[in-house]
Amino acid sequence: GAFGRLAYANLCVTHAMSADLHSRWRIKARVLHDAPPPRFRARSVKQRDELLCEFAVKLRLPQLAGATRPAVLVSSTSWGDDEDFGLLLDAVQRYDRLTAIASVTSSPVTVRRLSGRRRPSLTPSESSSGASSPMRRDSASSTDSDFLGGTPSSVDANRLPPLVVIITGRGERQDHYMARFDELRLLHVVVRSVWLSAADYPRLLAAADLGLSFHTSSSGLDLPMKVVDMFGCALPVCAVDFNCLAELVVDGKNGFVFSDANQLCDQMQVLLRGFPSHCKKLHYMREFLQKATTRWDDHWNKNARGLFQPF
């Protein structure tokens, strides 16, 4: 703070931080929000389908093609104390129950056994073994459980799709949470923990259907860069609420903001019901992001470059 008052100019990443600097140190700081670099960009529908097929093979995921494919949700994390994945545990458990109910009540279904017969398109028990696999851990139902999958006639406005939830990153609490996901024995939700290269990470974000953020700023003054990257790929986000999140996530426009697991589950239903053809809110958010997202170079030139011109 003392050195900041001696500076020619000051930059910070949120209006909340600017207000804090002014109130504590009488520092006037210009706000320069983070913006995505060019590698985080949207893809066409055809390109996204191709990427999903590629990642299904590369990460040994269930089949990610076709009108009844699962929705792909992505979150990135360092598995630290500032991210509560217990919210995701509770949300997917409730979603799994609701999907089973919707599958039974909305249309005819086909029940297949996972052991001893041809596997269905969503295979929670896909093997994660193999030294060359980039997967870290996976969570799904047991190999001898029933998989409840809708027939093509179930692709309607009431369909709740199965989910493939991909969590990228490594960290201290990773094994703890993945073991808890293992215990749930979900029928309609697969949770995978993977490690991706720097080149593959933006490609996965571009291919995914919905982003998830459980980051809560310890200071309440900064924003999650993972959400910025997701927005760069035109990926709508459900994000846990904290002090200055509204500077990034505009609730109902580019994503939803939640405060508990039930609210997150409700939001996933709103966005994914009728997937992939009839989820109008999800499509609206993606189109909004494609038009509204500002790139880093343009953002810098508009908001910060002028500060350096005197030099």
Side-chain angles (χ1 to χ4, degrees):
F3 288 105
R5 284 184 290 183
L6 301 176
Y8 163 76
N10 293 276
L11 295 171
C12 64
V13 294
T14 62
H15 292 290
M17 185 177 292
S18 177
D20 183 75
L21 288 169
H22 187 264
S23 65
R24 295 175 60 191
W25 299 98
R26 294 295 183 265
I27 293 174
K28 293 183 178 180
R30 179 176 296 188
V31 177
L32 182 68
H33 287 115
D34 284 316
R39 67 180 181 275
F40 291 94
R41 58 183 177 85
R43 305 302 208 278
S44 68
V45 173
K46 180 181 179 181
Q47 289 172 328
R48 291 181 62 225
D49 288 343
E50 291 171 350
L51 286 172
L52 285 174
C53 291
E54 177 186 329
F55 280 115
V57 174
K58 183 179 290 187
L59 301 181
R60 299 187 182 184
L61 296 170
Q63 182 178 329
L64 299 178
T68 58
R69 74 168 177 86
V72 178
L73 281 58
V74 176
S75 185
S76 63
T77 180
S78 58
W79 299 98
D81 293 334
D82 60 346
E83 293 180 282
D84 182 8
F85 276 86
L87 293 169
L88 181 61
L89 277 160
D90 294 340
V92 296
Q93 191 169 15
R94 180 172 173 235
Y95 183 94
D96 191 70
R97 293 196 301 267
L98 293 170
T99 303
I101 295 170
S103 298
V104 171
T105 59
S106 65
S107 62
V109 296
T110 300
V111 180
R112 307 180 181 93
R113 299 291 295 182
L114 294 191
S115 59
R117 297 185 184 178
R118 183 175 61 85
R119 291 180 176 180
S121 59
L122 177 62
T123 311
S125 57
E126 285 273 9
S127 171
S128 62
S129 62
S132 62
S133 172
M135 284 196 304
R136 172 65 177 174
R137 290 287 302 278
D138 73 293
S139 169
S141 58
S142 67
T143 57
D144 199 32
S145 64
D146 286 335
F147 176 82
L148 192 61
T151 64
S153 63
S154 67
V155 183
D156 56 29
N158 292 317
R159 176 185 183 252
L160 281 177
L163 303 181
V164 172
V165 183
I166 304 173
I167 307 174
T168 72
R170 294 171 177 163
E172 194 171 305
R173 305 179 71 189
Q174 179 178 1
D175 290 339
H176 164 75
Y177 275 116
M178 292 311 299
R180 292 182 63 187
F181 281 116
D182 287 340
E183 295 169 359
L184 296 181
R185 301 172 65 86
L186 303 171
L187 293 175
H188 302 274
V189 181
V190 174
V191 181
R192 292 280 171 85
S193 176
V194 304
W195 177 255
L196 297 176
S197 68
D200 274 345
Y201 177 60
R203 298 169 73 243
L204 177 63
L205 296 187
D209 301 299
L210 181 64
L212 301 172
S213 174
F214 300 93
H215 171 87
T216 54
S217 170
S218 57
S219 66
L221 302 176
D222 60 335
L223 295 166
M225 192 65 202
K226 72 189 74 179
V227 175
V228 175
D229 295 337
M230 290 174 182
F231 285 172
C233 296
L235 180 63
V237 172
C238 290
V240 67
D241 196 16
F242 63 91
N243 181 41
C244 62
L245 184 66
E247 294 188 37
L248 179 60
V249 181
V250 183
D251 197 30
K253 291 287 188 180
N254 53 16
F256 279 138
V257 176
F258 64 89
S259 57
D260 58 45
N262 286 334
Q263 195 173 14
L264 172 59
C265 182
D266 290 344
Q267 292 170 0
M268 290 193 295
Q269 290 181 77
V270 168
L271 292 173
L272 298 175
R273 190 176 294 277
F275 181 88
S277 302
H278 302 285
C279 42
K280 293 182 179 180
K281 188 65 175 179
L282 185 66
H283 294 158
Y284 164 80
M285 289 181 175
R286 186 176 290 275
E287 291 173 0
F288 178 87
L289 284 165
Q290 288 174 337
K291 297 174 182 177
T293 300
T294 302
R295 296 293 156 183
W296 172 253
D297 288 347
D298 295 334
H299 193 51
W300 173 268
N301 290 336
K302 180 180 178 180
N303 296 287
R305 186 175 181 179
L307 292 173
F308 298 89
Q309 287 182 345
F311 304 98

